[in-house]
Amino acid sequence: MSFLSEKNKQAFVTPLNLNNPILVQVLGICSALAVTTQLEPAIVMGLSVTIITAFSNFIISLIRKTIPTRIRIIIQLVVVAALVTIVSMILKAFAYDVSVQLSVYVGLIITNCILMGRLEAFAMTNGPIASFLDGIGSGLGYAWILVVVGGVRELFGNGSLMGFQIIPQSFYDAGYVNNGMMTMPAMAMILLGCVIWVHRSIVKDVDNN
Amino acid sequence: MKLNTNSNAYTITYAAVVVVIVAFLLAFAYAGLKERSDSNERIDKKQQILAALNIRNVDKVQTEDKYKEVVMTDAIVNAKGDILKQGAQKDQDGFKVDRKSMSSECLPLYVCKVGNETKYVIPMVGKGLWGSIWGFVALNADGQTIYGAYFSHESETAGLGSLIKDEPFQKEFQGKKAYLNGTPALKVVKSGTVKDANTECDGITGATLTSNGVNDMIHEYLKNYQAYLASLNK
């Protein structure tokens, strides 16, 4: 099977849109609410989930035929937890600043439903390369939703993007105020709902997928 | 012969083997990377101490030198004001006390020189909303007014409680009175309700519990160091 066969391409592309982990599978909502108050943590979280999903998908897919069915969830969890811990140790030694930033999310990555969801639904029944691509696709599909929600929340909640002030001071002088609601998790839920709504009205065949 | 992957024996052996492999991997990774990550942690702590003295964004490579230049001693004092260790080597005594082993009998104290002025940096540790928070507060030579402050956290909410790590919040502490009439007076109050600008700092909107945590932590440690700091003026 070649690297860029139609099946592999599908594995990579569908999670971005038609089978998006957040929009369609509605997985990973809790972390999506927690880290989207600002754009930067959203991007960091999106990328880390992408990397971890890809590699845990790859490893589980490699050993999928040996895993006893009755303890497969435990084995998946052990692999994910070991992977996340090792990655965080490597970061601590070689990229300390990143690891400090990530420290909050490490626990959230292990418990992210997307990981377990993809391992169970895809990696257990597909080859390593397709699984790897599916992991990257799912991670990026998760990441772009986080970035959209995080961007909107930071822009209207703090008037900035990536920490840089976007809304000019003259707006504030004219009476504009930041929307405090945007920094609350409830608003993330509502925004997420809106994104799903828009997505479903554009992509009509979601339910048949 | 095809292996029966559903038999009990296979399942138990498989689980055992996987656990052993993972345990070895983790142990090797930890042991192999320990030295590097320890040195990173040391540099990070020194950067935090320097940040409390308003010396921010020091390059990693220069941190050790800058620390040696600014910090004179890392003594250990107790809550009665006695000096237990002098800390002449700058990072062997007080510096080695980690956050969890600080107590009223073991309080690190960094005596520093910025320009020609003596400053005292006191570490502190407390509880935020989700996990521990900590900080370093620098006081002027009189031991009564704040020169600078640095706070950090383990897992406060990103974008809300995590803002205690940023400069705007920490800047508010500069020039405030730490003590009034012999008791700790510095407070973090609900955002927008500062009445006495000499002792009160604005908390963070939407992060009341983290702000309260900072407030309690400051109060506790100002109390711990009070005896020593008060003795400076005698």
Side-chain angles (χ1 to χ4, degrees), chain B residues 1-166:
Chain B
M1 187 192 89
K2 198 179 175 325
L3 215 55
N4 177 11
T5 55
N6 283 322
S7 75
N8 285 343
Y10 180 82
T11 304
I12 292 168
T13 325
Y14 194 90
V17 169
V18 165
V19 168
V20 168
I21 290 174
V22 167
F24 266 101
L25 274 179
L26 288 181
F28 273 119
Y30 179 76
L33 299 169
K34 191 174 188 316
E35 205 175 309
R36 277 195 81 106
S37 49
D38 280 357
S39 111
N40 279 335
E41 259 169 37
R42 227 169 26 242
I43 288 173
D44 185 51
K45 189 171 179 184
K46 288 182 176 172
Q47 279 178 336
Q48 295 184 17
I49 295 169
L50 291 174
L53 292 160
N54 303 323
I55 306 170
R56 286 169 193 269
N57 304 323
V58 186
D59 191 63
K60 257 189 170 176
V61 196
Q62 289 153 9
T63 305
E64 298 274 0
D65 292 340
K66 190 76 193 165
Y67 177 86
K68 281 220 171 86
E69 177 195 324
V70 172
V71 176
M72 298 294 122
T73 60
D74 62 327
I76 296 179
V77 300
N78 68 12
K80 293 192 206 93
D82 311 319
I83 298 170
L84 304 179
K85 273 192 182 151
Q86 296 291 347
Q89 274 147 33
K90 302 185 179 192
D91 59 1
Q92 294 301 315
D93 293 328
F95 187 79
K96 283 209 164 160
V97 177
D98 65 17
R99 290 196 290 277
K100 281 174 192 130
S101 34
M102 284 205 289
S103 70
S104 57
E105 279 307 307
C106 179
L107 298 164
L109 174 90
Y110 305 90
V111 184
C112 313
K113 270 233 177 338
V114 178
N116 276 324
E117 290 171 57
T118 308
K119 310 283 176 198
Y120 298 91
V121 176
I122 59 174
M124 39 186 66
V125 56
K127 287 191 185 70
L129 171 59
W130 304 114
S132 61
I133 52 175
W134 64 89
F136 294 90
V137 171
L139 294 116
N140 284 328
D142 61 358
Q144 302 296 308
T145 41
I146 307 286
Y147 176 64
Y150 177 85
F151 300 105
S152 191
H153 63 96
E154 205 161 63
S155 47
E156 296 310 296
T157 319
L160 296 172
S162 73
L163 294 179
I164 63 166
K165 211 182 161 186
D166 296 341

Side-chain angles (χ1 to χ4, degrees), chain B residues 82 208 217:
Chain B
D82 311 319
T208 314
M217 167 175 86

